[in-house]
Amino acid sequence: MNLKRATLIAALSASAPCFAAEALRPLNFANDIVPILTKGSCNSGGCHGKSGGQNGFKLSLLGFEPQEDYEHIVKEARGRRVFPASAEQSLLLTKGTAQLPHGGGKKLDPKSEDYADLARWIREGMPYGKDTDPKMASISVEPAKLTMPLKGAQQLKVTAHYTDGSTRDVTKRALYEANEKAMAETSETGRVQLFDLPGDVAVMVRYQGKVSTFRATVPLGAPVDKLPASRGFVDDLVFAKLKTIGMPPSDIADDGTFIRRVTLDITGRLPTAAEMKDFMASKDAAKRSVLIDRLLDSPEYAEYFANKWSALLRNQRTQPNFARGSYLFYSWIRDSIADNKPYDQFVREVVSASGDLDQNPPVAWYRQVKEMKQQMEDVAQLFLGTRMQCAQCHHHPFEKWSQQDYYGFAAFFSNVSRKPSAFAGEEMIFNKRGVAQTTNIRTKEAVTPTSLGGPTLKLKPEQDPRRALAEWMSQKDNAFFAHTLVNRYWKHFFNRGLVEPEDDMRETNPPVNPELLSALAADFVKSGYNLKQLIRTITNSTTYQLSAVPNTYNAKDRQNFSRYYPKRLNAEVLYDSVNTLLDVQTNFAGQAPGTRAVSLPDNSYNQSTYFLSVFGRPDSSSACECERTQEASLAQSLHLLNAAEIQTQLSRGNGRADTLTKDTRPDDDKISDLYHIALSRDPNAAEVKFAHTHLDKKTAGKTGDEAFKGKKEAYEDILWALLNTKEFLFNH
């Protein structure tokens, strides 16, 4: 009899699917069933995981609350979703396999391992599992890092590691997502397929609330025999990467291109014709470094970067009586940048600001960011590159942050209070004495201030938790603070962060050059958080000074910095540049005549100046750089081509066209002036000839006033054509 039984077992095992080997392993709802629901997107935000659920059935988002999911599936609606007596007839399976109408379509294959496990779990009485069952501790992916050829493919293996030391292959149930969609795509079973772009691509792997990352380096394989001279660690690390992937860099940009590029990037304005000529004529070997220092010492530098920080710090004028505060806050930001205030001090003064606007202008930040949660989320995103918004309601889907982390970080702002100031409509900000704490909305437990990834702080009732937060952020070994700032500034100068987006610094979104990001952060900390020194380091590098013109190999490069990546002038800079080219003076309400758009203190001018609005000047309503629109649009093109505002400025008396028409110098000199102002270069022979042809056409057979009018119209046309060229509209 025993022999017959053994033979029967052997026969059954031979004919069973590959997953039958695990049949004797007890199923655990959190470990085995929830991942199936997550893989099928059943608990996603677009299905049953959204707020309120879907069609009467609700699951926790991405399965982060398995106990709640168990209640919904097994006990809710009198248990109608599961039928242990005939598991295959359970709604959970008949809907999932689309045997019955299901809005989400077919999510399960009846022949799959997922279906078999669900059916077995139902047949066995839907066990939740025991408290003593092992919990998942982490996941790992193999390989973790690999060098792969263009258009290559790689199958990943994902292993779950449990608290009892056991492991399990969860490759088929994990979720995969490439961070660079133009470089790679992933299948549902973990197969990575590369395209024909060289560089680095990361694949985020997620399973049961844990994440890991696979990184592929994709060489182009071209010979890198000749590199330009390195000017420091930035170039050393960039060039080392270019050698690794086999991508020769472009040549170094000429002097005309460089002066225009660096002047726009540091001061937000075009170089003058005189500056351009002097720079081109100089024989000083260090003239580029000298120029950078001069620009950093100029008031335009402080105004331009104050414009950047004013938007990120939400300096808004949402009410008429906010005007005084917005001016004071902007002035404080501008003066801080002009004085080269250390960045850690700058952040500390914003985060821990107390008092009124006269005593301490940074309290204006608390006027716009009123709620504790909003204050925490802005600080985390702006200064730590960490997006905490998701963790308010559930575990962050792409990171390690939980609801407990969210409320622990929010508790730093729990005692921020306000009272009326001496000025109508203004408030004083202060820290209310008492124990700083907030309440986790799910557990209902009190949570005290806790740094991200750190221990809970022991603060006295009289201590301001915000000061403790600022001290923690600016510690030299903080993994977020310096890295976030240098990445943000790298993005400003290169139009592409080492991490993209620039304020989403997480393990599952790794930098394209980790060594460079770490080196920049370390150097920034060593300099005493010196922002000017950081800019010098970046702009003095050969990498920054490379041409935007691609060579035979790097035209498709978007992440290795083998060339300069052109970027469209932002709204304020473009507005000022157009006015500079047309030689017209700007007038903004409440501002001195001639005030630059980059010097405007707040968002209140966006609606009154259509140009700024249509070209994407941010409204300062969030702490995200993404609020600034850089995308081209039809409305922008039409505005430059035929807007009444542009046409009026072109034909204005004493404007550029009018002045050039009255100028008695040869037309060659005047045409050269236009190219010097607009593009910081001499016109080529074809451009001069074309301009002459148009001038002759407009003045042919005319005398006196008619000839003057025709010539002015010709110069208006030339100016109009110049300001509509990509060379003018982009920094390159």
Side-chain angles (χ1 to χ4, degrees):
M1 180 64 69
N2 290 340
L3 181 61
K4 290 182 178 180
R5 287 179 178 175
T7 303
L8 177 60
I9 291 172
L12 288 172
S13 299
S15 62
C18 61
F19 50 80
E22 292 190 5
L24 297 179
R25 181 179 59 81
L27 292 174
N28 177 287
F29 179 76
N31 289 347
D32 300 297
I33 305 305
V34 171
I36 298 173
L37 303 176
T38 303
K39 183 72 174 182
S41 302
C42 306
N43 52 24
S44 68
C47 199
H48 299 289
K50 70 181 180 183
S51 178
Q54 182 90 327
N55 296 328
F57 180 31
K58 176 175 171 54
L59 294 170
S60 66
L61 187 63
L62 303 179
F64 289 127
E65 302 299 337
Q67 185 65 54
E68 295 177 9
D69 293 340
Y70 185 81
E71 295 286 330
H72 291 312
I73 293 172
V74 175
K75 300 180 180 181
E76 193 176 73
R78 299 182 181 180
R80 64 188 292 266
R81 298 186 177 98
V82 286
F83 188 31
S86 180
E88 288 74 11
Q89 301 303 311
S90 299
L91 282 177
L92 194 65
L93 295 178
T94 55
K95 289 264 192 177
T97 55
Q99 297 175 54
L100 291 179
H102 180 223
K106 185 176 180 178
K107 296 294 184 181
L108 279 172
D109 182 346
K111 298 180 180 179
S112 68
E113 178 183 356
D114 290 345
Y115 181 92
D117 277 359
L118 280 170
R120 180 163 75 91
W121 175 71
I122 296 171
R123 282 196 299 270
E124 292 177 355
M126 297 84 66
Y128 183 80
K130 301 176 183 178
D131 292 339
T132 56
D133 286 350
K135 306 292 189 298
M136 196 180 71
S138 64
I139 63 171
S140 60
V141 58
E142 299 176 73
K145 189 175 182 180
L146 194 65
T147 299
M148 298 175 62
L150 295 170
K151 298 184 179 181
Q154 174 66 39
Q155 175 62 50
L156 303 181
K157 178 183 178 182
V158 183
T159 303
H161 301 265
Y162 293 89
T163 51
D164 65 348
S166 64
T167 61
R168 185 183 180 192
D169 185 341
V170 294
T171 303
K172 293 182 179 180
R173 289 185 181 169
L175 297 172
Y176 307 88
E177 183 179 354
N179 69 337
E180 293 282 354
K181 302 296 190 295
M183 288 188 65
E185 64 180 3
T186 57
S187 72
E188 290 187 354
T189 56
R191 186 175 188 272
V192 181
Q193 177 64 59
L194 300 180
F195 301 136
D196 60 350
L197 289 178
D200 282 271
V201 63
V203 174
M204 180 188 69
V205 182
R206 178 160 54 88
Y207 178 76
Q208 201 179 335
K210 303 296 182 181
V211 292
S212 187
T213 306
F214 163 71
R215 290 190 63 190
T217 298
V218 189
L220 178 65
V224 185
D225 302 324
K226 185 179 179 182
L227 286 167
S230 171
R231 296 170 61 88
F233 71 88
V234 170
D235 298 327
D236 292 341
L237 294 169
V238 171
F239 294 165
K241 177 72 178 294
L242 294 180
K243 284 183 177 180
T244 299
I245 65 172
M247 181 178 290
S250 294
D251 296 331
I252 295 177
D254 59 60
D255 283 344
T257 299
F258 176 75
I259 187 174
R260 187 178 190 271
R261 177 190 300 174
V262 75
T263 304
L264 283 167
D265 275 347
I266 292 180
T267 65
R269 67 168 177 86
L270 294 170
T272 66
E275 288 173 327
M276 172 258 181
K277 291 176 183 176
D278 289 345
F279 185 75
M280 299 281 280
S282 174
K283 302 300 182 184
D284 184 357
K287 66 180 182 180
R288 295 194 177 190
S289 295
V290 171
L291 171 63
I292 290 167
D293 287 341
R294 179 170 61 80
L295 294 173
L296 286 170
D297 289 336
S298 70
E300 291 95 339
Y301 156 70
E303 290 172 353
Y304 186 36
F305 276 82
N307 175 71
K308 178 185 183 73
W309 282 105
S310 185
L312 292 173
L313 291 169
R314 302 202 196 203
N315 190 25
Q316 290 181 300
R317 196 191 309 184
T318 53
Q319 301 175 27
N321 59 8
F322 279 15
R324 195 178 85 96
S326 71
Y327 278 105
L328 288 170
F329 193 21
Y330 171 81
S331 297
W332 176 84
I333 296 171
R334 182 196 59 212
D335 292 346
S336 297
I337 293 171
D339 295 340
N340 202 27
K341 181 179 291 182
Y343 177 67
D344 61 328
Q345 181 183 342
F346 176 84
V347 173
R348 184 180 298 110
E349 291 178 12
V350 172
V351 172
S352 61
S354 297
D356 62 22
L357 285 165
D358 284 319
Q359 298 171 328
N360 201 0
V363 299
W365 183 71
Y366 284 95
R367 181 179 64 183
Q368 298 298 342
V369 190
K370 287 183 173 291
E371 302 298 325
M372 172 188 66
K373 294 176 183 177
Q374 195 178 51
Q375 292 158 3
M376 181 277 286
E377 290 171 4
D378 273 29
V379 166
Q381 184 168 350
L382 184 55
F383 301 126
L384 302 174
T386 303
R387 300 182 178 187
M388 295 292 291
Q389 291 87 334
C390 294
Q392 178 180 356
C393 302
H394 53 81
H395 193 291
H396 196 298
F398 308 137
E399 256 287 12
K400 59 186 178 182
W401 310 125
S402 65
Q403 275 186 304
Q404 191 74 0
D405 294 316
Y406 180 95
Y407 288 101
F409 202 55
F412 282 107
F413 299 92
S414 58
N415 285 350
V416 174
S417 300
R418 57 194 76 223
K419 62 183 179 181
S421 169
F423 288 88
E426 294 183 4
E427 297 173 322
M428 293 186 65
I429 301 298
F430 65 97
N431 180 70
K432 181 177 63 177
R433 179 187 172 89
V435 177
Q437 63 180 30
T438 187
T439 302
N440 185 320
I441 60 172
R442 185 176 61 83
T443 65
K444 309 303 180 185
E445 296 178 353
V447 187
T448 53
T450 308
S451 58
L452 292 179
T456 299
L457 302 186
K458 304 295 184 182
L459 300 176
K460 297 178 180 178
E462 64 271 17
Q463 285 183 276
D464 187 340
R466 298 173 300 160
R467 294 185 178 179
L469 172 61
E471 289 300 323
W472 169 78
M473 286 198 298
S474 58
Q475 288 176 3
K476 292 183 178 181
D477 59 349
N478 190 299
F480 310 96
F481 188 67
H483 287 71
T484 298
L485 187 280
V486 299
N487 186 61
R488 188 182 296 279
Y489 270 47
W490 185 272
K491 169 74 173 280
H492 173 89
F493 287 97
F494 284 93
N495 198 30
R496 205 276 184 208
L498 293 165
V499 174
E500 278 290 322
E502 66 269 40
D503 54 6
D504 193 12
M505 313 278 286
R506 50 186 164 85
E507 292 181 10
T508 51
N509 186 31
V512 293
N513 193 326
E515 297 79 11
L516 176 56
L517 181 62
S518 295
L520 280 168
D523 189 65
F524 182 50
V525 173
K526 184 179 179 181
S527 73
Y529 299 97
N530 188 321
L531 289 170
K532 283 189 177 181
Q533 184 57 39
L534 173 63
I535 294 173
R536 287 190 189 95
T537 299
I538 292 173
T539 55
N540 273 305
S541 70
T542 300
T543 303
Y544 176 76
Q545 297 179 24
L546 293 174
S547 172
V549 179
N551 55 35
T552 305
Y553 303 101
N554 66 3
K556 293 183 178 181
D557 177 31
R558 296 292 183 274
Q559 59 171 226
N560 301 296
F561 311 103
S562 63
R563 58 187 176 87
Y564 184 84
Y565 306 139
K567 54 181 178 284
R568 201 200 71 192
L569 304 185
N570 66 38
E572 302 94 312
V573 175
L574 181 56
Y575 186 74
D576 291 335
S577 298
V578 169
N579 290 329
T580 296
L581 178 59
L582 303 186
D583 195 19
V584 295
Q585 182 173 275
T586 57
N587 290 289
F588 296 103
Q591 299 292 322
T595 297
R596 296 196 304 158
V598 297
S599 304
L600 296 173
D602 55 48
N603 69 314
S604 63
Y605 300 90
N606 292 6
Q607 298 307 313
S608 60
T609 309
Y610 179 71
F611 189 106
L612 297 179
S613 178
V614 77
F615 278 92
R617 185 175 193 252
D619 198 41
S620 307
S621 59
S622 76
C624 185
E625 295 262 16
C626 59
E627 191 180 332
R628 179 179 290 281
T629 304
Q630 288 292 89
E631 301 299 323
S633 69
L634 179 61
Q636 295 167 0
S637 299
L638 291 174
H639 190 79
L640 289 173
L641 288 170
N642 58 19
E645 176 188 9
I646 300 293
Q647 300 304 318
T648 299
Q649 301 290 49
L650 278 165
S651 59
R652 184 185 295 275
N654 294 322
R656 183 77 64 188
D658 190 56
T659 303
L660 289 173
T661 306
K662 295 174 183 176
D663 193 335
T664 58
R665 292 181 302 155
D667 284 325
D668 278 1
D669 293 344
K670 293 184 284 186
I671 293 168
S672 293
D673 283 349
L674 290 180
Y675 276 79
H676 293 165
I677 295 166
L679 308 176
S680 298
R681 66 169 176 84
D682 290 321
N684 59 43
E687 289 165 336
V688 172
K689 181 180 179 181
F690 187 84
H692 270 296
T693 300
H694 191 66
L695 285 164
D696 293 342
K697 178 182 176 182
K698 285 285 188 178
T699 57
K702 298 178 182 178
T703 59
D705 290 343
E706 287 298 315
F708 181 90
K709 182 180 178 181
K711 194 165 193 176
K712 183 182 177 185
E713 287 179 355
Y715 275 116
E716 290 173 10
D717 292 343
I718 294 170
L719 284 163
W720 176 87
L722 273 174
L723 68 84
N724 277 286
T725 62
K726 286 186 178 180
E727 191 175 356
F728 177 77
L729 298 172
F730 281 75
N731 194 4
H732 47 82

